[in-house]
Amino acid sequence: VELAEAKAEVDASRKSLEEERRSSSRLSAELVEAKANTDAAQEALEEERRCSSQRDASYAEQVCSLKERLEDERKKAVESAKDEADIVAKLEERITEAESERDGVQIELQTERLTLSVLEADLAKAKGDAEEAELSLIEHNASYAEKVCSVEEQLEKERQTVEKMHERISMLESDRDN
């Protein structure tokens, strides 16, 4: 009876260990996935930064070009005094268009900067999630190690009990033979 109970306890311990191993494997997979997501978010952020930098340079060139055009138009207006009213009206219209275009470029630049900020926040969250998953795995592994030690101790006790029972059986058989 004691042997059957010991065997049942050992079987239950083995099942518990197998469940712990599966849980540890699942957590490891989740950690790998979280790290992969973090890496992907980091790459997306870097790509967005490169693109944003290129757009910033392009926008700066456009603004500079628009300023040069604006200056050129103003110089032309001063040089040609013919039909001043018409020329002034046309120049004002061009200036307004150039300023409107410049404002549009600046709005796009601000939008890109906001997008970059959102991506940086997403990256920070992904890093936090990965760290949280890693801590959970570490805690789980520590708990698992404690359970393994406990089960090993229990198995050793059970082996000793079985050995004592074998000795007792041998003694009984010896007594019976005598």
Side-chain angles (χ1 to χ4, degrees):
V1 172
E2 287 178 6
L3 186 59
E5 288 176 359
K7 185 176 180 182
E9 286 179 12
V10 167
D11 289 345
S13 295
R14 283 186 184 145
K15 285 181 183 177
S16 175
L17 279 174
E18 288 173 6
E19 289 175 10
E20 289 296 324
R21 285 183 186 137
R22 284 192 297 274
S23 178
S24 178
S25 294
R26 189 183 74 254
L27 284 172
S28 293
E30 289 175 4
L31 177 60
V32 166
E33 182 179 336
K35 284 184 179 181
N37 290 341
T38 298
D39 291 345
Q42 181 70 36
E43 287 177 20
L45 177 61
E46 290 302 320
E47 181 62 30
E48 185 56 34
R49 282 184 179 156
R50 283 192 294 277
C51 291
S52 179
S53 177
Q54 291 170 352
R55 284 190 296 271
D56 285 353
S58 174
Y59 294 152
E61 286 177 14
Q62 289 177 6
V63 168
C64 190
S65 173
L66 291 171
K67 285 181 181 178
E68 289 174 2
R69 280 179 33 203
L70 183 60
E71 189 60 36
D72 288 345
E73 293 297 335
R74 285 185 182 154
K75 285 179 185 176
K76 288 177 186 176
V78 170
E79 292 172 4
S80 91
K82 295 180 193 175
D83 217 349
E84 205 171 85
D86 254 354
I87 292 173
V88 169
K90 287 179 183 178
L91 288 176
E92 286 177 352
E93 186 179 327
R94 288 179 185 170
I95 289 168
T96 302
E97 288 174 3
E99 288 173 345
S100 175
E101 205 172 325
R102 181 197 64 209
D103 292 344
V105 168
Q106 288 176 342
I107 289 171
E108 284 181 1
L109 179 60
Q110 289 173 347
T111 302
E112 292 301 326
R113 287 182 180 153
L114 286 174
T115 300
L116 184 59
S117 295
V118 168
L119 286 173
E120 287 172 343
D122 289 347
L123 175 61
K125 184 184 181 313
K127 282 181 180 179
D129 291 347
E131 289 172 2
E132 199 174 294
E134 187 174 12
L135 287 175
S136 175
L137 179 61
I138 289 168
E139 290 173 1
H140 178 75
N141 285 344
S143 171
Y144 178 73
E146 289 176 14
K147 287 181 180 180
V148 167
C149 287
S150 173
V151 168
E152 286 175 352
E153 289 173 6
Q154 185 179 359
L155 284 173
E156 184 57 34
K157 287 178 185 176
E158 296 301 328
R159 279 188 202 111
Q160 289 174 1
T161 302
V162 169
E163 285 177 17
K164 285 179 184 177
M165 292 176 95
H166 281 296
E167 288 174 8
R168 204 166 163 198
I169 290 170
S170 293
M171 286 176 51
L172 289 173
E173 286 177 349
S174 173
D175 287 348
R176 186 186 64 194
D177 291 342
N178 288 334

